[in-house]
Amino acid sequence: MRFLDKLLNCFNVLSIDTEFPGFLRNTPRNAPAVESYNDLKFNVDCTHLIQLGITLSDKEGKISYTFEFNFSDFDLKKDLHAGDSIQLLKDSGLDFDKIRKDGIPRCVFAPRFLEVLSKHRENLKWVTFHGLYDIAYLVKIFTNDALPPTAEAFSGVAALFFQSVFDIKVVAGYCQGLQGLKLGLSKLARILNVKRHGGAHHAGSDSLLTAAVFAEMKNRYELEESAFDGFLYGMDSRIERKPAEIMMLQYMQPLMIPQPLLVPTQFHHPLALSYYVPA
């Protein structure tokens, strides 16, 4: 976290991806907005985040480091999950026994991450691909609570943590040659001739590819970033910037409640930093 704190002084764009146990409820295409949010809330509230990938870059698109955090909270033997999603992650190389044994407890990660973010809050830009669930899981661990009851309330809470957030699946819909295409992240990368490093369905690799794709899109297209800021694919409510005096620190205290025994004296978790990509 000290290293991440230092890097954010120069590399303030955080491209993120998450891996989670799948969808307990599948939302029908063209479902009403209320139903879509209710399904999102049910899925996120009932499951645990497995991985968080973060790739740092600067405003010019130069990539610094990629972090992959693995969380020990998910217990494959006890927790709700979608079997096909778990099998996909297993086939992609995730070792759930190792993550359970050596991963980081959410209650250890969240307050330290929030403390770092609070120092840089006004300067951070977040980038996702089809990132509604990515943002929702982070809101859940940041608040240590269930998601808010409505999409509008969710957007308000998310705005406390994400001052500027872009979903490149939304942006792609306004780029010449990309409109109307059924785009996943890997397909979009192939169209833009962006090479993947690492394996698909690993949060670190996917966050790195997200960062590289966003940089290439900015290079190819004249993007007016303010037009896309705060819009997540699949949600109508915009995440709008909150006044500076409303700080995310108000949410740090509940996350510090767990027993001190859960907090290790050293932070050399084997799966905390799975790999890095040097500049």
Side-chain angles (χ1 to χ4, degrees), residues 119-178:
K119 299 178 183 179
H120 306 272
R121 178 177 181 269
E122 294 301 314
N123 299 316
L124 298 182
K125 179 187 298 183
W126 301 78
V127 180
T128 71
F129 180 87
H130 204 164
L132 180 55
Y133 272 79
D134 301 329
I135 297 299
Y137 273 103
L138 286 181
V139 167
K140 176 183 175 179
I141 69 170
F142 286 166
T143 61
N144 196 31
D145 201 357
L147 295 184
T150 66
E152 292 75 15
F154 170 80
S155 297
V157 173
L160 298 174
F161 306 102
F162 305 97
Q163 284 288 90
S164 182
V165 58
F166 298 87
D167 190 327
I168 56 178
K169 189 173 177 70
V170 173
V171 177
Y174 295 88
C175 295
Q176 185 174 0
L178 301 178

Side-chain angles (χ1 to χ4, degrees), residues 45-63:
D45 286 351
C46 293
T47 58
H48 292 299
L49 184 63
I50 298 171
Q51 282 187 339
L52 169 65
I54 303 173
T55 293
L56 302 184
S57 55
D58 63 15
K59 63 181 181 180
E60 306 300 328
K62 180 182 178 182
I63 292 174

Side-chain angles (χ1 to χ4, degrees), residues 26 33 42 65 107 127 178 264:
N26 288 301
F42 179 83
Y65 283 81
C107 62
V127 180
L178 301 178

Side-chain angles (χ1 to χ4, degrees), residues 1-9 116 119 267-268:
M1 284 300 169
R2 287 193 294 270
F3 183 46
L4 181 64
D5 185 12
K6 182 178 180 180
L7 288 173
L8 285 173
N9 290 315
V116 170
K119 299 178 183 179
F267 298 98
H268 301 293

Side-chain angles (χ1 to χ4, degrees), residues 250-268:
Q250 66 180 288
Y251 279 100
M252 289 178 61
Q253 189 60 37
L255 287 161
M256 294 180 181
I257 291 175
Q259 296 296 324
L261 290 175
L262 293 177
V263 181
T265 57
Q266 298 183 8
F267 298 98
H268 301 293

Side-chain angles (χ1 to χ4, degrees), residues 4-266:
L4 181 64
D5 185 12
K6 182 178 180 180
L7 288 173
L8 285 173
N9 290 315
C10 299
F11 300 94
N12 65 329
V13 181
L14 298 90
S15 297
I16 62 170
D17 184 74
T18 61
E19 299 298 339
F20 51 90
F23 305 107
L24 305 180
R25 287 182 183 171
N26 288 301
T27 305
R29 188 180 296 274
N30 300 321
V34 172
E35 181 182 350
S36 296
Y37 181 77
N38 287 342
D39 288 347
L40 167 78
K41 175 175 167 56
F42 179 83
N43 288 327
V44 173
D45 286 351
C46 293
T47 58
H48 292 299
L49 184 63
I50 298 171
Q51 282 187 339
L52 169 65
I54 303 173
T55 293
L56 302 184
S57 55
D58 63 15
K59 63 181 181 180
E60 306 300 328
K62 180 182 178 182
I63 292 174
S64 174
Y65 283 81
T66 290
F67 300 84
E68 186 177 85
F69 298 96
N70 295 265
F71 298 103
S72 61
D73 304 271
F74 177 67
D75 186 341
L76 184 57
K77 298 177 181 178
K78 298 179 180 179
D79 294 331
L80 294 174
H81 59 271
D84 55 345
S85 296
I86 294 299
Q87 190 59 53
L88 176 64
L89 295 177
K90 285 183 175 180
D91 293 343
S92 300
L94 267 68
D95 185 336
F96 288 96
D97 290 335
K98 186 173 180 60
I99 291 174
R100 179 68 175 166
K101 177 176 178 290
D102 296 329
I104 308 167
R106 183 180 62 185
C107 62
V108 171
F109 172 82
R112 285 156 179 75
F113 190 41
L114 278 173
E115 184 177 6
V116 170
L117 296 180
S118 68
K119 299 178 183 179
H120 306 272
R121 178 177 181 269
E122 294 301 314
N123 299 316
L124 298 182
K125 179 187 298 183
W126 301 78
V127 180
T128 71
F129 180 87
H130 204 164
L132 180 55
Y133 272 79
D134 301 329
I135 297 299
Y137 273 103
L138 286 181
V139 167
K140 176 183 175 179
I141 69 170
F142 286 166
T143 61
N144 196 31
D145 201 357
L147 295 184
T150 66
E152 292 75 15
F154 170 80
S155 297
V157 173
L160 298 174
F161 306 102
F162 305 97
Q163 284 288 90
S164 182
V165 58
F166 298 87
D167 190 327
I168 56 178
K169 189 173 177 70
V170 173
V171 177
Y174 295 88
C175 295
Q176 185 174 0
L178 301 178
Q179 300 104 322
L181 299 180
K182 294 182 179 180
L183 293 174
L185 178 60
S186 293
K187 182 176 180 179
L188 179 57
R190 289 194 297 270
I191 292 172
L192 299 176
N193 294 316
V194 175
K195 183 180 178 181
R196 176 188 285 276
H197 297 274
H201 308 298
H202 289 257
S205 175
D206 286 348
S207 75
L208 176 58
L209 190 60
T210 298
V213 165
F214 185 62
E216 181 62 24
M217 290 177 71
K218 288 183 63 178
N219 185 49
R220 290 197 185 197
Y221 306 99
E222 295 182 1
L223 300 180
E224 181 58 49
E225 291 190 4
S226 61
F228 303 104
D229 195 350
F231 290 103
L232 297 177
Y233 190 85
M235 190 173 74
D236 296 333
S237 300
R238 186 178 189 178
I239 299 174
E240 298 191 55
R241 180 180 291 266
K242 292 291 185 180
E245 61 269 15
I246 303 178
M247 294 299 292
M248 66 175 72
L249 282 171
Q250 66 180 288
Y251 279 100
M252 289 178 61
Q253 189 60 37
L255 287 161
M256 294 180 181
I257 291 175
Q259 296 296 324
L261 290 175
L262 293 177
V263 181
T265 57
Q266 298 183 8

